Amino acid sequence: MVGGCCGTTPAHIKAVKDAMDGIVPRKPEPASHGHVVSGIEPLQYDETMRPLFIGERTNVIGSRKFKRLIVDGQFEEAAEIARAQVKNGAHVIDICLANPDRDELEDMTNFMQEVVKKVKVPLVIDSTDEEVIEAALKFSQGKAIINSINLEDGLERFEAVMPLVKKYGASVVVGTIDEKGMAVTRERKLEIAERSYDLLVNEWGLAPEDIIFDPLVFPVGTGDQQYIGSAVETIEGIRLIKGKFRAP
């Protein structure tokens, strides 16, 4: 690789360009690997790492302490929560600033500026707002995970988020839900996963290893008749999806 750095003058860059004229760039063979994301540090997942821990405390919906720090504008202190999670073994940090009483875009921007100073692990950008997702991706040091997209409103969510995935680079969590509703049975979970895979890989050109399927988990202790047996359906749905899409 050739180029310049801070302080390099236009004349030097022109000389480099002139020296490179006529030289055909080398095209390396695509690397063969599984799921890979990164912050400053890479995370190449394989099954020997089970379980993979995702830190969920930097989420205003799930953590009262984190929410209070964000409301008080203490973004640096809030970012310390992320660092503590990594110290305690989190491989990835989930970030959600979706407080209906506040400006999510402003909070995400302020928090991302601080959290990238504190942690080196990959980040999960947890938002339904494309503008917020893009702002977070601009601050991410590497290849983030977007949580999430699905087919609940047809192609609308795919069409809103996938251009950002292509522009900035990211993996995506894909829920097994479509226009008919959430998939409860194993067959429906696989059916929606297959449709989503076809759209993402064959129409959007996303690498298969950048898809993370979320087969959805339903409460099994509520007494609701429609969810009786749903735990088994989820386990078997995961088995079907892995069997269909596992790399050879």
Side-chain angles (χ1 to χ4, degrees), residues 8-245:
T8 303
T9 65
H12 181 88
I13 295 298
K14 183 180 185 303
V16 171
K17 186 263 183 188
D18 292 342
M20 294 298 104
D21 271 353
I23 299 177
V24 179
R26 180 177 63 89
K27 294 184 178 181
E29 291 295 320
S32 177
H33 57 74
H35 180 70
V36 179
V37 289
S38 67
I40 290 177
E41 297 175 345
L43 174 67
Q44 182 165 343
Y45 176 76
D46 64 65
E47 294 191 359
T48 64
M49 298 174 62
R50 289 187 281 182
L52 186 76
F53 293 111
I54 299 180
E56 290 271 2
R57 295 182 187 274
T58 46
N59 185 322
V60 295
I61 298 172
S63 170
R64 185 177 298 174
K65 178 181 179 180
F66 180 71
K67 180 179 180 180
R68 186 172 62 250
L69 288 171
I70 296 298
V71 169
D72 292 342
Q74 297 179 280
F75 295 100
E76 184 176 356
E77 292 82 355
E80 286 290 344
I81 294 177
R83 184 164 73 168
Q85 289 184 103
V86 174
K87 186 177 180 180
N88 288 325
H91 298 98
V92 181
I93 295 294
D94 179 88
I95 299 173
C96 177
L97 280 298
N99 183 341
D101 297 324
R102 292 179 58 82
D103 185 328
E104 184 185 0
L105 177 60
E106 183 178 348
D107 282 347
M108 180 64 82
T109 300
N110 289 331
F111 180 69
M112 286 295 295
Q113 292 181 71
E114 297 299 331
V115 76
V116 295
K117 302 174 187 176
K118 305 285 187 182
V119 301
K120 299 179 180 181
V121 301
L123 304 175
V124 178
I125 310 305
D126 191 348
S127 176
T128 58
D129 187 318
E130 301 84 60
E131 193 175 2
V132 172
I133 292 172
E134 181 167 22
L137 289 174
K138 287 179 179 179
F139 283 102
S140 178
Q141 311 107 314
K143 182 175 181 177
I145 300 170
I146 296 175
N147 183 28
S148 61
I149 61 174
N150 59 59
L151 293 166
E152 183 176 11
D153 297 314
L155 298 179
E156 181 180 319
R157 185 74 177 145
F158 279 42
E159 291 173 346
V161 174
M162 285 309 298
L164 300 178
V165 172
K166 300 297 290 184
K167 181 177 181 179
Y168 295 98
S171 292
V172 291
V173 176
V174 185
T176 51
I177 176 173
D178 65 4
E179 301 90 337
K180 298 177 184 177
M182 294 185 181
V184 178
T185 68
R186 66 192 76 180
E187 293 82 9
R188 282 276 292 144
K189 292 178 189 293
L190 177 61
E191 175 190 339
I192 297 172
E194 288 176 327
R195 180 185 171 197
S196 299
Y197 181 96
D198 181 59
L199 288 166
L200 292 171
V201 174
N202 298 321
E203 293 195 23
W204 284 100
L206 186 66
E209 60 267 22
D210 288 335
I211 301 172
I212 304 168
F213 285 115
D214 176 6
L216 305 181
V217 178
F218 292 91
V220 297
T222 63
D224 191 324
Q225 288 295 317
Q226 69 174 320
Y227 295 136
I228 298 295
S230 63
V232 172
E233 292 301 313
T234 297
I235 292 170
E236 293 304 322
I238 292 170
R239 200 188 310 277
L240 288 177
I241 291 170
K242 289 184 71 172
K244 175 72 176 183
F245 298 110

